[in-house]
């Protein structure tokens, strides 16, 4: 659930197998396994797909269908830090859209983009449940509310953007 | 010295952890023994971080606390610049009817002992002494309706699962609280997690299910962490497991984490997601109550619905049903958000008017500018103009006014809001989050964005087209995502036509 912070370990087959084995006794194990793989490697590695399909007796196509359906799962690692900026209505009511636009412009990025030095990936999020202290952002699983331009500057500096 | 600093993520988001660290450091520097406790949030988010200091057994509030104001907490407290007085005496607290949120902000969330000491587990104990059908009847008699938004009577849903044949049944808690302006689920999971666990156990006993899942969105890392610890504690203390409170009856549960798909808040796509599939919506029938998770009879209830069950069993159905308005019984957990002077959680009997919430409780806008529109019920809820502020909070009452209560999130916008932009955002959001199963939602939302862009460029002929498209989405979509996106769009168009006028560019 926490966002990956690179540098990520290279996918290791033994570790992949261990992660799959640790969760395969669950009812509906696929999402827990995908989360665990992403926590370990910062993304869902290609190398995990064949053993995962075999273990759960699903086709590679079905697996691809699931992974690509959910916004959370990545096929490649993100930057060292992931900044999620809330785009939802309550944050918009408090200037969230302008905050997001300014941040993206400053970093020269579009949504989902990563800074040239690999420090920060910026992603949209639709609600962090911080609607009474908007606008809100999350950096690597840590939440921040009442974020203004100065606070955003500090967060970006801390992340090395 | 006993000091409370909330561990709710809204409190942390505005510096509660830094304040807690400063308190510890200051106490050490002064040689003061500090008993620092981390409670849930009281719901007064504008006062966060809200520090409470116990003076003669009474908790006095200080907030919004800053690190710089911490040292003064060790001086004369009555002279502290952020002193608010006894927290329970604050207007916001005194005016509430806290049934579901009675313990939230009061206790340490992960202390089962404090949970017990404040009425916890009484409902479950009572349910264990009743026949399953009697528990269902009690919930039905309370008038509790689904707090996730649909407002379906909880007891009727339970009855269906109770009566359904099958030895394997499930309780699924929908904690995929994705609607903007809503945070009641998050607050109760972070602030009083055992109430949800107790509610799910009661549901299991009532319908004959021995296994439950909480499907919790990944955007709530703090809630996930608290719930996982609470489940472990409940299991270790015999609240969950093969022998619930020594009754010989079994119920256990798991926390499952979502993966960023808004549509998984819809119950059938949630079930697909739990099963490890794409979170696409299932056609109904069959109802999940008859054929839900893994094809078994399944109760799917929202967090607040389930967390309200213990107090209904503890105090009796009638106590709960005595609050409310018309067919909306009990309390509504209002979440006041967006551009407001005072935002947060306010639990009160159904029936309070929207205007009283916005002008009185919320104190108008944070910006000090006039209120333009209020979106009630999340991103699929209507934008209400001031002319509709006399609408009482109630499922039927809001329906009659062309809106919906939904999960009771209330997002306030000031006069700078451009309602065409908000309507476009609703369509854009629907396009991003559509599961893709049905055409009106998948294609309609994309066409909706394009059509609103035409209107923005001065093409008035696109307005009837937008209305027509909204009709199609409303009537032809499988679930509320495509079916209700027309609510914000059409309410914006209907109540704020100037923002859609042909001469809008000239006017700007």
């Amino acid at each position: 659930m926490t966002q990956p912070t690179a540098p990520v370990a290279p996918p290791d087959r033994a570790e992949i197998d261990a992660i799959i084995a640790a969760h395969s006794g669950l009812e509906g194990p696929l999402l827990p396994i995908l989360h665990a793989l992403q926590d370990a490697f910062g993304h869902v590695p290609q190398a995990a797909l064949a053993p995962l399909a075999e273990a759960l007796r699903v086709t590679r196509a079905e697996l691809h269908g699931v992974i690509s359906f959910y916004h959370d799962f990545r096929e490649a690692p993100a930057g060292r830090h992931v900044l999620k900026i809330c785009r939802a209505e309550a944050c918009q009511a408090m200037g969230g859209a302008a905050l997001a636009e300014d941040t993206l412009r400053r970093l020269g990025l579009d949504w989902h983009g990563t800074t040239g030095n690999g420090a920060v990936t910026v992603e949209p999020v639709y609600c962090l449940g911080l609607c009474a202290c908007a606008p809100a952002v999350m950096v690597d699983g840590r939440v921040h509310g009442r974020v203004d331009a100065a606070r955003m500057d500090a967060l970006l500096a801390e992340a090395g953007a | 010295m006993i000091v409370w600093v909330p561990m709710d993520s809204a409190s942390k988001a505005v510096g509660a952890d830094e304040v807690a660290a400063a308190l510890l450091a200051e106490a050490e520097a002064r040689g003061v023994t500090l008993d620092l406790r981390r409670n849930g949030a009281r719901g007064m988010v504008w006062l966060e971080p809200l520090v409470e200091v116990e003076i003669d057994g009474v908790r006095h509030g200080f907030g919004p606390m800053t690190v710089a104001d911490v040292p003064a907490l060790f001086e004369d407290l009555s002279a502290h610049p952020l002193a608010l007085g006894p927290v329970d005496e604050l207007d916001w607290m005194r005016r509430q009817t806290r049934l579901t949120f009675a313990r939230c902000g009061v206790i340490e969330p992960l202390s089962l002992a404090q949970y017990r000491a404040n009425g916890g587990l009484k409902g479950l104990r009572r349910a264990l002494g009743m026949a399953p059908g009697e528990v269902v009847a009690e919930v039905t008699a309370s008038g509790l309706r689904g707090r996730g938004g649909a407002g379906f009577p909880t007891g009727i849903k339970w009855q269906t699962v109770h009566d359904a044949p099958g030895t394997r049944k499930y309780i699924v808690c929908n904690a995929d609280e994705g609607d903007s302006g809503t945070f009641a689920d998050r607050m109760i999971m972070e602030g009083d997690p055992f109430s949800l666990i107790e509610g799910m156990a009661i549901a299991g006993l009532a319908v004959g299910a021995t296994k439950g899942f909480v499907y919790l969105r990944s955007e709530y890392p703090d809630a996930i962490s608290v719930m996982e610890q609470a489940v472990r504690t409940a299991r270790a203390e015999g609240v969950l497991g093969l022998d619930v409170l020594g009754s010989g009856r079994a119920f256990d549960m798991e926390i499952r984490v979502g993966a960023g798909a808004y549509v998984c808040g819809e119950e059938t796509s949630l079930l697909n997601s739990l099963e490890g599939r794409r979170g696409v919506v299932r056609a109904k029938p069959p109802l999940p109550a008859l054929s839900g998770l893994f094809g078994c009879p399944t109760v799917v209830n929202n967090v607040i619905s389930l967390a309200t069950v213990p107090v209904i069993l503890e105090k009796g159905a009638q106590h709960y049903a005595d609050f409310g308005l018309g067919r909306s019984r009990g309390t509504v957990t209002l979440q006041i958000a967006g551009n407001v002077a005072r935002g947060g959680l306010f639990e009160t009997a159904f029936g309070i008017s929207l205007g009283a919430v916005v002008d009185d409780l919320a104190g108008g806008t944070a910006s000090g500018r006039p209120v333009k529109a209020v979106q009630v019920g999340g991103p699929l809820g209507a934008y209400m103009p001031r002319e509709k502020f006399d609408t009482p909070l109630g499922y039927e009452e809001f329906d009659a006014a062309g809106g919906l209560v939904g999960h009771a999130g209330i997002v306030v916008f000031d006069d700078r809001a451009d309602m065409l932009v908000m309507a476009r955002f609703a369509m854009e959001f629907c396009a991003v989050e559509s599961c893709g199963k049905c055409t009106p939602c998948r294609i309609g939302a994309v066409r909706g964005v394009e059509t609103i862009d035409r209107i923005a460029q001065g093409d008035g002929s696109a307005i009837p087209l937008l209305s027509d498209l909204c009709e199609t989405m409303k009537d032809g979509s499988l679930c509320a995502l495509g079916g209700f996106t027309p609510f914000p769009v059409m309410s914006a168009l209907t109540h704020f036509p100037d923002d859609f006028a042909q001469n809008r560019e000239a006017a700007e």
Side-chain angles (χ1 to χ4, degrees):
Chain A
M1 76 220 69
T2 49
Q3 288 303 326
T5 46
V8 286
D12 172 85
R13 180 58 196 262
E15 199 179 343
I16 289 170
D17 288 342
I19 288 170
I20 294 172
H23 296 86
S24 52
L26 296 174
E27 294 176 89
L30 183 50
L31 258 63
I33 293 175
L34 293 173
H35 276 301
L37 287 168
Q38 184 148 305
D39 282 347
F41 304 111
H43 67 301
V44 179
Q46 276 287 318
L49 301 185
L52 187 50
E54 198 182 312
L56 301 189
R57 297 196 192 89
V58 296
T59 65
R60 287 283 293 272
E62 283 173 282
L63 203 50
H64 175 74
V66 173
I67 295 169
S68 58
F69 181 85
Y70 296 98
H71 299 304
D72 281 5
F73 300 127
R74 309 172 185 285
E75 293 180 352
R80 288 188 291 283
H81 302 281
V82 176
L83 165 67
K84 294 193 176 197
I85 306 177
C86 181
R87 289 195 65 201
E89 288 86 346
C91 284
Q92 289 189 46
M94 290 297 282
L99 179 76
E101 279 163 28
D102 290 348
T103 305
L104 290 169
R105 191 181 315 116
R106 252 192 60 189
L107 298 175
L109 298 178
D110 216 332
W111 290 113
H112 306 285
T114 301
T115 53
N117 63 2
V120 178
T121 299
V122 184
E123 297 198 326
V125 64
Y126 296 94
C127 198
L128 295 164
L130 303 171
C131 320
C133 53
V137 308
M138 180 155 77
V139 183
D140 302 335
R142 261 201 95 192
V143 287
H144 305 272
R146 297 179 198 145
V147 178
D148 54 15
R151 186 89 189 95
M152 182 63 93
D153 281 352
L155 290 172
L156 290 173
E158 208 177 305
Chain B
M1 184 178 181
I2 302 174
V3 180
W4 300 76
V5 181
M7 56 181 259
D8 183 276
S9 54
S11 317
K12 288 171 154 183
V14 294
D17 285 348
E18 289 77 2
V19 166
L23 272 161
L24 289 170
E26 187 71 21
E28 197 182 322
R30 289 172 182 257
V32 174
T33 311
L34 185 72
D35 181 357
L36 178 67
R37 302 180 185 177
R38 302 299 298 263
N39 53 334
R42 298 273 194 164
M44 297 175 282
V45 180
W46 78 99
L47 295 178
E48 293 290 349
L50 173 60
V51 170
E52 297 174 35
V53 181
E54 264 191 44
I55 305 171
D56 301 329
V58 176
R59 285 159 69 165
H60 289 247
F62 299 84
M65 186 53 59
T66 67
V67 168
D69 289 308
V70 164
L73 285 172
F74 294 84
E75 310 285 344
D76 176 12
L77 283 171
S78 59
H80 197 287
L82 300 176
L84 300 163
V87 175
D88 288 331
E89 299 302 315
L90 294 175
D91 195 46
W92 182 274
M93 298 306 294
R94 278 195 304 109
R95 291 171 65 182
Q96 294 187 63
T97 302
R98 285 218 167 190
L99 300 178
T100 310
F101 277 80
R103 281 173 296 263
C104 192
V106 177
I107 64 169
E108 287 178 281
L110 287 166
S111 164
L112 191 58
Q114 289 177 36
Y115 182 70
R116 273 182 225 267
N118 287 273
L121 300 181
K122 282 188 184 159
L124 177 56
R125 282 188 202 285
R126 178 161 174 245
L128 282 166
M130 297 162 75
E134 290 172 349
V135 180
V136 174
E138 189 82 10
V139 173
T140 306
S142 75
L144 178 66
R145 292 167 70 177
R147 296 287 186 252
F152 188 82
T154 305
I156 308 268
K157 194 183 271 186
W158 286 21
Q159 187 72 52
T160 309
V161 179
H162 172 273
D163 294 346
T167 49
R168 213 167 111 217
K169 298 177 182 180
Y170 292 101
I171 308 298
V172 171
C173 171
N174 184 344
D176 198 39
E177 184 182 54
D179 288 351
S180 176
T182 67
F183 44 84
D185 296 358
R186 180 187 62 64
M187 268 186 69
I188 202 93
M189 289 188 289
E190 292 177 0
D192 192 19
F194 293 117
S195 66
L196 174 57
I197 293 171
E198 184 181 353
M200 289 180 71
I202 294 170
L205 295 170
V207 305
T210 54
K211 181 71 183 277
F213 290 97
V214 179
Y215 186 88
L216 217 172
R217 58 200 304 261
S218 63
E219 292 86 344
Y220 284 178
D222 293 279
I224 293 166
S225 161
V226 174
M227 281 306 303
E228 283 179 340
Q229 292 178 67
V231 167
R232 280 198 294 272
T233 301
R235 207 177 279 144
E237 301 280 328
V239 177
L240 293 173
L242 290 171
D243 187 18
V244 171
L245 296 180
S247 65
R249 297 164 75 181
F251 186 78
D252 210 336
M253 57 190 277
E254 283 178 40
I255 308 301
R256 288 294 174 88
V257 179
Y262 173 78
V263 76
C264 288
E266 195 283 332
E267 61 177 0
T268 61
S269 51
L270 186 156
L271 294 173
N272 274 333
S273 186
L274 265 179
E275 290 180 11
R277 303 169 195 277
R278 289 165 68 85
V280 292
V281 173
R282 296 177 184 173
K284 288 192 269 194
L287 292 172
L290 297 171
S291 177
L293 189 61
F294 303 111
C296 300
T298 304
V299 168
V300 186
N301 279 156
N302 166 258
V303 174
I304 298 300
S305 313
L306 286 164
T308 301
V309 166
V311 72
I312 290 171
L313 268 292
E314 180 199 342
K315 302 202 166 166
Q318 196 55 46
H319 178 80
Y320 192 75
D322 282 345
F323 298 97
L325 166 79
R327 287 176 51 216
S328 306
R329 307 315 310 170
T331 55
V332 56
T333 50
L334 297 171
Q335 299 130 83
I336 302 167
N339 196 334
V340 284
R342 294 188 292 270
L345 184 122
F346 192 93
E347 182 175 357
T348 187
F350 279 101
I352 188 173
S353 75
L354 179 59
V357 175
V358 174
D359 295 326
D360 183 14
L361 293 178
T365 60
S367 57
R369 301 176 68 100
V371 173
K372 178 168 181 177
V374 181
Q375 188 178 31
V376 184
L380 308 177
Y383 285 102
M384 311 284 272
R386 186 164 276 282
E387 298 79 70
K388 300 226 171 199
F389 276 17
D390 57 352
T391 311
L393 261 295
Y395 295 106
E396 281 68 32
E397 291 73 13
F398 256 65
D399 189 48
L404 70 146
V405 172
H407 191 41
I410 291 173
V411 179
V412 177
F413 293 81
D414 73 12
D415 61 348
R416 291 170 297 179
D418 181 337
M419 300 315 292
L420 178 137
V421 170
M422 298 319 296
R424 185 187 190 279
F425 178 79
M427 284 292 191
E428 186 191 355
F429 179 70
C430 183
V432 171
E433 296 298 335
S434 175
C435 82
K437 179 147 175 166
C438 70
T439 314
C441 174
R442 184 185 67 243
I443 308 285
V446 177
R447 294 289 172 261
V449 172
E450 294 166 0
T451 309
I452 293 172
D453 283 343
R454 277 174 57 188
I455 298 169
Q457 284 153 18
D459 181 358
S461 72
I463 290 179
L465 199 61
L466 179 65
S467 304
D468 192 46
L469 176 66
C470 282
E471 277 303 306
T472 304
M473 289 176 70
K474 207 152 86 179
D475 296 338
S477 299
L478 262 179
C479 83
L481 181 50
F484 285 14
T485 293
F487 271 103
V489 175
M490 288 309 296
S491 59
L493 179 61
T494 307
H495 301 309
F496 306 94
D498 290 354
D499 288 359
F500 293 77
Q502 282 184 30
N503 58 354
R504 80 179 235 119
E505 279 181 44
E508 274 168 5

